[in-house]
Amino acid sequence: METIYSAKPLIAILVSLFVVPVLISSKSDNVREAWTFGAAILKFLVVASMAPLVLSGVRIEFTLFEVMPNLALAFRVDSFGLLFALVSTPLWIVTSAYSIGYMRTLKEHSQTRYYCFFALSLSATVGVAFSANLLTLYLFYEMLSFATYPLVTHHQDQEARSSGRKYILYILGSSIAFVLPAMLFIFAETGTFDFVSQGFLGNHFSQTTLLILLLMFVFGFAKAGIMPFHSWLPAAMVAPTPVSALLHAVAVVKVGVFCVARVITGVFGTDLLLRTDLNTVICYIASFTIIAASLIALSQDGLKRRLAFSTIGQLSYIVLGVALLSPLAVTGGVLHIAMHAFGKITLFFCAGAIYAASGIKNISDMVGIGKRMPVTMGCFLIGALSVIGLPPCGGFISKWYLVLGTLEAGKIFFLFVLLASSLLNVAYFLPIVYRAFFCTDEESMFENKVDEVPIWCLVPLCITASISVILFFFPQPFLRLAQMTAQTVFGG
């Protein structure tokens, strides 16, 4: 694979970092929001400018500085990292527009702080995506933890502070307790952190030690939401909906599964895991999370909490796909990062729109709301279909590859896990839509008309819903990047 050296990865990371002082000094809301849009668009354009090179098989690298021999703060743009960056950066643009409508409609306080930490979070997210080694990835992972804490606790009430403590305890505590010791142990034995296609652990450790290290990474990256290190995610739903939408449906949680996938493929490697069969352990852990989270979601009346438990299950689809270690399964798992992102952010946008327009948080109070907010609930249906994995939405394609991947790997049990989970997805999503549209006047909870939300809220959810449909017919470049990632993982 050809490698070129360019500062573009660093520029993409720094764009949203350097806009923070400007946001702080902005004298008006309009100026602050204009700078946010400008930074978001520029960040996306820098990331998109690297796509033609990566799609042609070129890898972009940049070393900022060496900490010590064989240990550097370095960046690498490959197909996997670019796919993640191409998901998170354009959705920052859409979420910025949504934030204007949501935050202004509810007259939220401390909006400057909100936009500043949002920008910092996107810097950390892209930093994780473009990390060339475990050290760089870990530093940006922790940066994301600190940057998102003020967003989770934005409301500054007792519930927000309590949720924030749980959030930081799980996210920061698990990484310090598990990931950091595992990294130090590995570096002491191997002398490197650099990601390579077949990992760098080789024959350095016994099978028992490898299992312990693998579990430390999988559970230590708690942003992945793998049970039992998952309860921070429902607690974080106390944050404003735009935070839940982008950070807890796209950026934060996807950083977690991205890190797990990087460790599986770039630290351990497919040959080592298949030879020791340790990947099967991760498959069972992911499968348990998928089914348990889906069952819990069925019992949740709070709309955002139901979406949160749905996210926990969907994240483990990605982990399962990568852990199955078959080319089609890896393709499906990596592709699901993109397909789930657009579907789930649509659902969160709709939940926020419902709350902004009517003050409703619970599903039991939404009977008949489809007749009052038809556009919002129509988009909710599209997002739900994508997450379930039904046509004509992009989620169908990623789940199709996952299903084929279980057959390719010869692990039929996990095929039934995916099918059972999809049925549970239907059970906790479609009744919401049905009761929203198909109810009698006597059953309807709405006597007076509830208008749709302001245009700044409505247009973004329509855009993400439309993209979910478009990706069914035109899944590129995400599908190509996912296929290239699978080829790289298996040394192709």
Side-chain angles (χ1 to χ4, degrees):
M1 177 180 287
E2 182 185 354
T3 300
I4 66 170
Y5 300 90
S6 170
K8 278 188 176 182
L10 180 62
I11 294 170
I13 294 165
L14 293 180
V15 165
S16 48
L17 187 65
F18 284 166
V19 79
V20 171
V22 182
L23 297 179
I24 294 173
S25 61
S26 297
K27 301 298 183 183
S28 73
D29 293 348
N30 291 337
V31 171
R32 179 192 62 215
E33 289 156 0
W35 275 106
T36 298
F37 271 117
I41 293 169
L42 179 58
K43 193 179 192 75
F44 170 64
L45 291 176
V46 173
V47 170
S49 70
M50 293 183 276
L53 283 173
V54 175
L55 286 167
S56 66
V58 175
R59 190 168 59 193
I60 303 170
E61 294 188 357
F62 182 79
T63 300
L64 188 59
F65 62 84
E66 277 199 358
V67 179
M68 56 187 293
N70 296 324
L71 188 62
L73 191 63
F75 305 100
R76 177 189 300 159
V77 184
D78 58 11
S79 55
F80 190 20
L82 182 66
L83 181 144
F84 185 28
L86 281 176
V87 171
S88 58
T89 52
L91 285 176
W92 184 28
I93 303 172
V94 179
T95 307
S96 296
Y98 183 87
S99 295
I100 293 173
Y102 184 88
M103 303 296 277
R104 289 191 177 189
T105 297
L106 296 178
K107 297 180 174 60
E108 288 283 355
H109 70 289
S110 303
Q111 293 188 31
T112 296
R113 182 186 67 196
Y114 165 88
Y115 284 104
C116 287
F117 281 103
F118 228 116
L120 289 173
S121 299
L122 265 295
S123 280
T125 300
V126 176
V128 169
F130 293 161
S131 294
N133 56 52
L134 202 52
L135 173 66
T136 308
L137 181 142
Y138 180 78
L139 292 176
F140 280 102
Y141 180 93
E142 298 294 34
M143 175 182 169
L144 183 61
S145 301
F146 287 112
T148 49
Y149 174 77
L151 295 171
V152 172
T153 60
H154 175 80
H155 292 304
Q156 296 296 302
D157 54 17
Q158 184 59 41
E159 184 182 10
R161 292 190 183 96
S162 175
S163 297
R165 285 193 294 269
K166 176 178 283 190
Y167 177 78
I168 208 71
L169 175 64
Y170 273 82
I171 297 301
L172 195 60
S174 60
S175 64
I176 293 174
F178 299 133
V179 175
L180 188 57
M183 286 173 56
L184 294 173
F185 183 69
I186 285 174
F187 189 76
E189 295 294 324
T190 66
T192 185
F193 277 148
D194 292 341
F195 298 128
V196 291
S197 62
Q198 280 301 329
F200 57 80
L201 296 187
N203 297 315
H204 288 85
F205 306 107
S206 67
Q207 185 165 339
T208 302
T209 303
L210 287 171
L211 175 60
I212 294 171
L213 289 171
L214 183 59
L215 293 176
M216 288 177 75
F217 279 116
V218 169
F219 291 127
F221 287 123
K223 289 185 178 74
I226 295 175
M227 292 182 173
F229 295 89
H230 69 285
S231 62
W232 66 267
L233 207 159
M237 291 301 107
V238 70
T241 297
V243 176
S244 302
L246 184 64
L247 300 184
H248 299 133
V250 183
V252 170
V253 294
K254 293 300 174 14
V255 160
V257 292
F258 182 89
C259 291
V260 171
R262 274 292 195 211
V263 167
I264 289 174
T265 59
V267 175
F268 287 82
T270 56
D271 288 349
L272 177 62
L273 291 175
L274 287 172
R275 187 171 68 249
T276 57
D277 200 33
L278 293 179
N279 64 307
T280 304
V281 176
I282 306 305
C283 288
Y284 279 111
I285 293 171
S287 297
F288 173 80
T289 302
I290 289 170
I291 298 300
S294 299
L295 289 171
I296 296 171
L298 276 170
S299 66
Q300 301 302 306
D301 189 40
L303 180 55
K304 285 177 68 175
R305 283 187 62 84
R306 183 170 294 193
L307 295 179
F309 279 102
S310 169
T311 297
I312 292 168
Q314 294 292 320
L315 292 175
S316 283
Y317 275 80
I318 300 166
V319 175
L320 175 60
V322 175
L324 281 168
L325 295 182
S326 72
L328 290 176
V330 172
T331 299
V334 171
L335 183 60
H336 201 59
I337 290 177
M339 299 307 186
H340 172 259
F342 287 100
K344 186 53 67 68
I345 201 170
T346 300
L347 294 172
F348 274 110
F349 280 171
C350 292
I354 292 167
Y355 176 69
S358 64
I360 289 174
K361 295 182 179 180
N362 294 330
I363 296 167
S364 57
D365 297 326
M366 290 170 53
V367 179
I369 199 170
K371 300 177 182 179
R372 305 305 188 192
M373 301 179 70
V375 176
T376 298
M377 290 309 298
C379 290
F380 187 95
L381 172 60
I382 292 173
L385 291 176
S386 186
V387 172
I388 292 168
L390 293 176
C393 296
F396 171 79
I397 298 178
S398 57
K399 289 198 175 182
W400 179 252
Y401 273 93
L402 285 169
V403 166
L404 294 178
T406 60
L407 299 176
E408 185 179 47
K411 297 182 183 295
I412 305 302
F413 172 79
F414 301 112
L415 169 64
F416 289 105
V417 169
L418 293 174
L419 295 177
S421 173
S422 293
L423 290 174
L424 290 170
N425 296 164
V426 170
Y428 64 68
F429 273 138
L430 293 191
I432 299 174
V433 181
Y434 181 82
R435 288 195 293 266
F437 285 105
F438 302 102
C439 65
T440 64
D441 292 337
E442 292 77 16
E443 293 173 326
S444 177
M445 308 289 289
F446 300 90
E447 296 180 2
N448 301 316
K449 182 176 178 60
V450 177
D451 294 324
E452 294 281 4
V453 284
I455 197 75
W456 281 104
C457 277
L458 194 62
V459 170
L461 61 89
C462 291
I463 291 173
T464 54
S466 299
I467 293 174
S468 292
V469 175
I470 292 170
L471 287 174
F472 175 77
F473 300 98
F474 305 100
Q476 304 296 355
F478 299 120
L479 178 57
R480 177 57 185 152
L481 289 170
Q483 290 170 333
M484 290 176 65
T485 302
Q487 292 171 4
T488 303
V489 165
F490 292 95

